[in-house]
Amino acid sequence: MLDIRSLTKIFATQPQKAALNGLNLQVQKGEFVTVLGSNGAGKSTLFHAIAGEFFPDEGQILLEGKNITFQAAHQRSRFIGRVMQDPMKGTVPAMTVAENLALAEHKGIKGKKLFSSITKSQKEQFQEKLALLGLGMEDKLEQPVGLLSGGQRQALTLLMATFQQPKLLLLDEHTAALDPATAEKVMQLTQAVIEQHNITTLMITHNLAHSLAFGNRTILMDKGKIVMDVQGDQRKAYTPQLLMEQFHQLAGEETTTSQQSFALL
Ligand SMILES: Nc1ncnc2c1ncn2[C@@H]1O[C@H](COP(=O)(O)OP(=O)(O)OP(=O)(O)O)[C@@H](O)[C@H]1O
Ligand SMILES: [Mg+2]
């Protein structure tokens, strides 16, 4: 359903180095792919290109057979959901929880009056969804999002990103800024929401154990390319230790510094 062909992006500030270097990736509908790679490997750049934040220098991005390579980002946001590392992004802090959810619900619908039109039944629906998160947010509908904790905001962003059941969900280290217990909770929520709606997902993580525990396929990026792709029975035999060894083999000497940034557990 996602077909990326020979994708290349060279930033003007680093003309000698391609952030994406002829990258190819095919993802089937319903696949949940975890994405590994050392700092600067090009993971976020790949997500930005898929979301349309910039256009690539070469190559194509097809989603369900449609060429979206040069489609505007706001148009893609109707069917591509995203959650980034920073809990401060993804929601509007000055708006209430209910208003943020209404915004997500109306994404892509033009001319709709947003805030005067949040009905009682809508609020009940929001409350129901928030209760499922198990973070006590169902009582905070009228609170500005800026007052929520980082974990609550990430859970809300996840809810908003999947409100309209996107064709593709992009998660860029979305639990990295959270404390371990909240990160685990948001990961469980992530898995539940993906499974419930069978959402095709790409998730960047630096956690080797997470990269195997979640999803059904793991890829490793290095220097703007995919250098390892593990799925099926082959993946079941993998351990975080084996992944670490392969990481060093495939991603070369530059990975020594990233060793510390990888959590084995
Ligand atoms: N907007 C930009 N302008 C110039 N260079 C950029 C820009 N965005 C990314 N780069 C460069 O492209 C390369 C890939 O960066 P990217 O953010 O995709 O890495 P990453 O794999 O997400 O790393 P990390 O694990 O640290 O998040 C890096 O060398 C980075 O400095
Ligand atoms: Mg990144």
Side-chain angles (χ1 to χ4, degrees), residues 11 13-14 17 19 38-45 173 206:
F11 289 110
T13 46
Q14 301 173 307
K17 204 180 118 198
S38 51
N39 299 126
K43 305 178 298 296
S44 297
T45 304
E173 300 186 52
H206 283 294

Side-chain angles (χ1 to χ4, degrees), residues 22-248:
L23 182 140
N24 290 297
L25 176 66
Q26 280 76 42
V27 180
Q28 304 304 315
K29 194 167 168 43
E31 257 185 338
F32 179 176
V33 185
T34 57
V35 184
L36 291 168
S38 51
N39 299 126
K43 305 178 298 296
S44 297
T45 304
L46 172 64
F47 278 21
H48 292 149
I50 296 171
E53 265 180 39
F54 51 67
F55 297 148
D57 299 309
E58 276 171 44
Q60 286 190 333
I61 304 168
L62 291 98
L63 193 71
E64 291 185 335
K66 191 178 166 212
N67 190 337
I68 59 163
T69 318
F70 299 109
Q71 191 179 40
H74 74 272
Q75 283 174 331
R76 291 186 220 189
S77 72
R78 289 178 206 161
F79 47 82
I80 298 178
R82 297 170 83 188
V83 188
M84 320 295 278
Q85 179 174 354
D86 186 351
M88 298 304 144
K89 292 184 180 151
T91 44
V92 185
M95 281 166 42
T96 66
V97 171
E99 286 167 349
N100 270 275
L101 284 167
L103 204 62
E105 195 181 34
H106 293 152
K107 194 162 69 177
I109 304 171
K110 280 190 182 153
K112 193 108 171 136
K113 265 197 255 146
L114 280 183
F115 312 124
S116 54
S117 62
I118 302 176
T119 61
K120 193 160 168 273
S121 82
Q122 244 181 319
K123 278 190 184 170
E124 280 165 12
Q125 197 207 343
F126 291 165
Q127 262 169 336
E128 237 170 73
K129 282 186 182 274
L130 289 167
L132 291 176
L133 300 179
L135 291 167
M137 275 195 286
E138 57 276 21
D139 304 325
K140 297 183 191 286
L141 267 188
E142 306 304 335
Q143 246 191 44
V145 164
L147 299 182
L148 298 178
S149 74
Q152 288 172 330
R153 278 184 80 159
Q154 282 304 71
L156 183 64
T157 307
L158 181 71
L159 193 64
M160 288 169 65
T162 52
F163 212 100
Q164 295 191 352
Q165 293 172 31
K167 290 179 183 169
L168 182 66
L169 180 62
L170 302 175
L171 306 170
D172 191 346
E173 300 186 52
H174 71 305
T175 62
L178 308 178
D179 72 71
T182 313
E184 215 48 50
K185 186 150 202 174
V186 171
M187 256 330 295
Q188 298 306 332
L189 286 171
T190 304
Q191 191 171 35
V193 105
I194 290 168
E195 272 176 14
Q196 189 189 355
H197 303 296
N198 196 31
I199 303 170
T200 311
T201 303
L202 294 177
M203 179 178 84
I204 297 172
T205 177
H206 283 294
N207 185 313
L208 293 178
H210 275 182
S211 79
L212 292 174
F214 296 98
N216 44 29
R217 180 177 171 191
T218 300
I219 61 175
L220 170 63
M221 280 185 69
D222 183 53
K223 301 183 187 79
K225 278 188 179 161
I226 292 165
V227 292
M228 190 191 79
D229 190 344
V230 205
Q231 45 195 311
D233 287 343
Q234 196 198 2
R235 188 173 182 263
K236 287 185 194 132
Y238 264 75
T239 59
Q241 192 60 45
L242 181 59
L243 257 189
M244 175 70 98
E245 284 163 22
Q246 299 228 328
F247 186 92
H248 287 298

